[in-house]
Amino acid sequence: MAAQPKLARRITQVQPSATLAVSAKAKAMAAEGIDVVGFGAGEPDFRTPEFIVEAGTKAMTGGDTQYNAKRAGELTKAIVAKLQRENGLAYQPAQVLVSNGAKHSCYNICQVVIDEGDEAIIPAPYWVSYLEMVRLAGGTPVVIETSEETGFKITPAQLEKAITPKTKLFFFNSPSNPTGAMYTPEEVRAIAAVVEKHNLITLSDEIYEHLVYGEAKHLSLASCSKKLLEELVITVNGVSKTFAMTGWRIGYVAGPLPLVKAMAKLQDHATSAPASFSQAGAAEALGNQQASVPAVEAMRKEFDARRKHMVERLNKLKGVTCLAPQGAFYCFPNVSGVFGRTLGGKTIQSAMDFTDVALEAAKVAVVPGEAFGSPKHVRLSYASSMASIDKGLDRLEKLLNG
Ligand SMILES: Cc1ncc(COP(=O)(O)O)c(C=O)c1O
């Protein structure tokens, strides 16, 4: 047998991505010819709007294929203008760094802020990667628990209590993956007051800001005060979710200059700039509002209709309750009412068991809440057609209500 390579400690401590694992299992079943309904996806099912594809194609055929994208300056300018126009945030171009997706942006932040032994505060349920990024930087995640009672949102008092002399970073994500929860503008201001009082470097992940529904209103954390904008908050955003551009890999940060400079130094040695033609597509997405506003609104409306439908159907399942998400494209139902029941030949004791039974007995792929620090819940994405939402929920209904 071949000798096993000895891996570095930093990677052996990291968990594989549960969302990617569920997608892989569902895909493997589909490849065997099994008709699986997938609710695992973390990406829009829409195609990138044509005007963006054209801009990317034109850049590629026009020779914009070198390290230094010809339109890099244009993309940065479009980001600065977008942050001013939509979020009321005034940044200089040097305060912006474009990376290979917002995931890369978050990773860069952790690497330049967190040292061995430092703590990072993460409200649960959290996006799976935050925790592992903190660990990869040698830090310790400090998780704040929430529940349906507070709409899966932390209170300022909880945040204040979690801060210690070792705290280096606080993760704030509204609208949230996986819960779809959104902090109201008043709640954002109350969190901002704690951030300011404790000089807390904060990563504000606003990647789902355009996918909001009903009365919900997004407010950028950095807009709450001059100090937050200039010294404390790193705003993270990207084009993946808003413009259905997940495969283009364009995310960005804007924040205090010393932090952004440090991230740029790291990125220069790790990945350099993202693909030149992807940058051209992103510049068009952010800069051409005449085309982008109606395209985004059409997708948002479709998500909204699916959201309402999925929540309604989930709440009719025996043992399942689901808060209406206000943003992003996920439902996060509580399935603890199913614990103790035997379904598909297996007694369900956890969200992980629920996920296994849903996949094996009903051929429906969901993501177990354990991955998000929430063992009573599962995540279902409604980034799939209405027909497939109905097909999957028919199957779950048969499994749970039948
Ligand atoms: C909360 C959150 N932040 C960031 C990202 C990363 O997006 P991307 O790297 O595609 O820009 C995701 C994607 O799933 C997400 O859910």
Side-chain angles (χ1 to χ4, degrees):
M1 206 170 77
Q4 290 297 311
K6 186 166 176 351
L7 297 173
R9 188 166 38 89
R10 88 176 64 84
I11 197 65
T12 55
Q13 288 171 346
V14 167
Q15 299 301 314
S17 161
T19 43
L20 295 184
V22 171
S23 303
K25 196 166 169 188
K27 265 189 197 148
M29 285 170 74
E32 280 171 34
I34 302 168
D35 175 24
V36 177
V37 179
F39 290 136
E43 58 184 338
D45 54 317
F46 303 112
R47 288 184 65 160
T48 306
E50 204 47 43
F51 74 98
I52 300 171
V53 175
E54 271 168 23
T57 310
K58 207 168 126 205
M60 200 187 281
T61 54
D64 191 354
T65 53
Q66 287 162 321
Y67 281 141
N68 290 316
K70 290 190 186 118
R71 294 183 62 181
E74 207 175 309
L75 175 55
T76 303
K77 244 197 263 168
I79 292 168
V80 168
K82 174 257 179 267
L83 290 167
Q84 179 73 69
R85 179 179 74 238
E86 296 178 359
N87 309 94
L89 303 174
Y91 290 112
Q92 295 300 317
Q95 290 179 274
V96 171
L97 179 69
V98 179
S99 302
N100 294 284
K103 184 181 261 185
H104 186 203
S105 305
C106 295
Y107 182 83
N108 282 345
I109 294 171
C110 291
Q111 288 293 320
V112 306
V113 170
I114 297 172
D115 263 327
E116 289 283 332
D118 286 342
E119 292 176 355
I121 299 174
I122 305 177
Y126 43 73
W127 178 42
V128 281
S129 295
Y130 293 152
L131 222 77
E132 306 306 339
M133 286 176 185
V134 169
R135 290 194 180 123
L136 276 165
T140 306
V142 173
V143 173
I144 303 180
E145 302 292 342
T146 67
S147 68
E148 279 92 344
E149 278 77 62
T150 57
F152 293 119
K153 293 183 271 193
I154 60 164
T155 62
Q158 276 182 302
L159 176 57
E160 196 141 29
K161 211 170 141 214
I163 298 168
T164 76
K166 288 185 181 169
T167 306
K168 270 292 184 65
L169 186 63
F170 164 50
F171 286 78
F172 186 66
N173 175 217
S174 175
S176 148
N177 174 9
T179 63
M182 272 195 81
Y183 289 74
T184 64
E186 294 70 37
E187 288 167 341
V188 174
R189 285 188 203 103
I191 294 290
V194 179
V195 167
E196 178 155 344
K197 181 175 159 198
H198 294 273
N199 290 314
L200 200 54
I201 299 292
T202 301
L203 182 167
S204 180
D205 183 343
E206 305 181 9
I207 192 120
Y208 293 100
E209 70 170 334
H210 283 291
L211 302 176
V212 302
Y213 315 106
E215 301 294 300
K217 276 207 169 34
H218 173 76
L219 180 73
S220 287
L221 186 70
S223 72
C224 291
S225 81
K226 196 163 175 282
K227 185 166 177 185
L228 261 70
L229 177 73
E230 291 178 358
E231 296 172 32
L232 298 174
V233 177
I234 311 156
T235 303
V236 174
N237 212 322
V239 295
S240 291
K241 317 288 178 175
T242 303
F243 302 103
M245 291 176 71
T246 48
W248 295 66
R249 310 310 303 129
I250 298 288
Y252 57 88
V253 296
L257 192 59
L259 289 172
V260 177
K261 266 189 171 167
M263 291 170 69
K265 188 163 71 172
L266 170 71
Q267 184 167 304
D268 280 349
H269 290 298
T271 60
S272 301
S276 50
F277 29 88
S278 289
Q279 293 194 54
E284 186 69 15
L286 293 169
N288 183 352
Q289 290 154 75
Q290 214 176 349
S292 69
V293 171
V296 171
E297 179 56 11
M299 292 190 270
R300 193 199 66 82
K301 265 198 176 139
E302 179 61 29
F303 280 135
D304 193 16
R306 296 171 183 178
R307 170 185 78 104
K308 288 178 183 147
H309 189 60
M310 189 182 253
V311 171
E312 198 180 303
R313 290 210 57 182
L314 283 169
N315 277 309
K316 287 185 184 150
L317 299 178
K318 208 170 131 196
V320 176
T321 55
C322 185
L323 282 189
Q326 295 170 297
F329 40 66
Y330 310 102
C331 285
F332 200 61
N334 188 322
V335 295
S336 62
V338 183
F339 295 175
R341 284 174 66 190
T342 302
L343 298 169
K346 178 169 182 159
T347 304
I348 296 177
Q349 309 281 19
S350 63
M352 193 70 91
D353 290 343
F354 182 97
T355 303
D356 282 345
V357 171
L359 191 56
E360 266 144 43
K363 311 287 181 276
V364 174
V366 304
V367 188
E370 282 91 342
F372 311 103
S374 198
K376 291 181 180 168
H377 301 83
V378 295
R379 191 191 77 176
L380 289 84
S381 156
Y382 47 88
S384 59
S385 71
M386 204 61 116
S388 113
I389 290 173
D390 270 329
K391 186 167 163 184
L393 281 154
D394 286 347
R395 291 180 183 185
L396 289 179
E397 201 171 83
K398 205 163 148 210
L399 177 75
L400 295 164
N401 298 9

